[in-house]
């Protein structure tokens, strides 16, 4: 059976080894982190800044910190109903995703046609069932939406 002095000696040896390793590690690692350097401080700040903020409604979110949309990223200027359809609507109305009526399929448009064209405009502008308002493109004008609806209705003839 091991004696308490053996365990005390073993513990002492482990502490001594730990101290030696700590001293060696301190001499190997360069302690100069250059925290006084403004570029290093800026890089650290950039890495730890939050990626978003929670708006609780108490104070407005600072919009100035958000990047502005460049002209290249701005919404395209759709000139015809066909262009709006091809750029926005066709994703769902070509395949009939989520029970959307297909372009040129009178059977799918039957109930919608019965409500009238103005009701269809309002449905597209405000959203209906699973279709978001303006087909998910809030940057489109009401006129562009109406041109797209007219284009889809013309395809039924």
């Amino acid at each position: 059976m091991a004696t308490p002095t053996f365990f005390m000696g073993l513990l002492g040896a482990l502490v001594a080894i730990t101290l030696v390793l700590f001293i060696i590690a301190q001499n190997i690692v360069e302690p100069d982190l250059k925290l006084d350097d403004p570029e290093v401080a800026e890089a650290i700040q950039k890495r730890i800044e939050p990626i978003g903020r929670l708006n609780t409604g108490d104070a407005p979110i600072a919009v100035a910190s958000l990047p502005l949309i460049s002209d290249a990223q701005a919404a395209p200027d759709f000139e015809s109903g066909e262009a709006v359809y091809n750029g926005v609507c066709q994703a769902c109305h070509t395949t009939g995703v989520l029970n959307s009526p297909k372009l040129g399929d009178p059977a799918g448009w039957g109930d919608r046609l019965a409500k009238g064209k103005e009701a269809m405009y309002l449905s597209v502008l405000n959203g209906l069932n699973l279709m978001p308002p303006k087909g998910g493109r809030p940057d489109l004008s009401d006129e562009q939406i109406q041109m797209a609806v007219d284009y889809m209705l013309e395809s039924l003839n």
Side-chain angles (χ1 to χ4, degrees), residues 27 31 41 49 52 55 65 71 83 86 90-92 100 103 119 123 131-132:
N27 290 328
E49 73 181 7
N55 184 6
S65 65
D71 290 339
N86 290 331
Q90 62 92 21
C92 296
S100 60
L103 181 71
S123 295
M131 182 181 68

Side-chain angles (χ1 to χ4, degrees), residues 1-155:
M1 185 162 189
T3 62
T5 54
F6 172 75
F7 287 118
M8 291 302 286
L10 181 61
L11 183 60
L14 290 174
V15 169
I17 291 172
T18 303
L19 287 174
V20 169
L21 290 174
F22 179 76
I23 292 169
I24 291 172
Q26 289 298 314
N27 290 328
I28 291 174
V29 175
E30 182 181 340
D32 185 20
L33 296 177
K34 300 177 184 173
L35 293 177
D36 298 339
D37 185 9
E39 290 179 10
V40 172
E42 182 181 339
I44 291 172
Q45 185 62 32
K46 199 175 219 181
R47 282 194 305 267
I48 64 173
E49 73 181 7
I51 58 170
R53 291 188 168 76
L54 177 65
N55 184 6
T56 60
D58 297 336
I61 295 176
V63 179
S65 65
L66 298 174
L68 298 175
I69 296 175
S70 69
D71 290 339
Q73 295 172 321
D77 186 24
F78 296 113
E79 297 176 4
S80 67
E82 182 178 8
V84 175
Y85 173 81
N86 290 331
V88 180
C89 311
Q90 62 92 21
C92 296
H93 288 281
T94 299
T95 60
V97 171
L98 300 173
N99 201 26
S100 60
K102 294 180 183 179
L103 181 71
D105 178 23
W109 290 90
D111 295 339
R112 293 165 178 89
L113 289 173
K115 295 178 185 176
K117 190 184 275 190
E118 291 301 320
M120 292 176 73
Y121 290 152
L122 290 175
S123 295
V124 178
L125 291 172
N126 300 319
L128 179 66
N129 299 330
L130 296 174
M131 182 181 68
K134 295 187 175 184
R137 290 288 301 266
D139 56 327
L140 293 176
S141 69
D142 292 358
E143 291 78 25
Q144 289 172 318
I145 294 296
Q146 290 177 358
M147 288 187 319
V149 171
D150 292 340
Y151 171 76
M152 287 191 274
L153 293 177
E154 288 171 7
S155 73

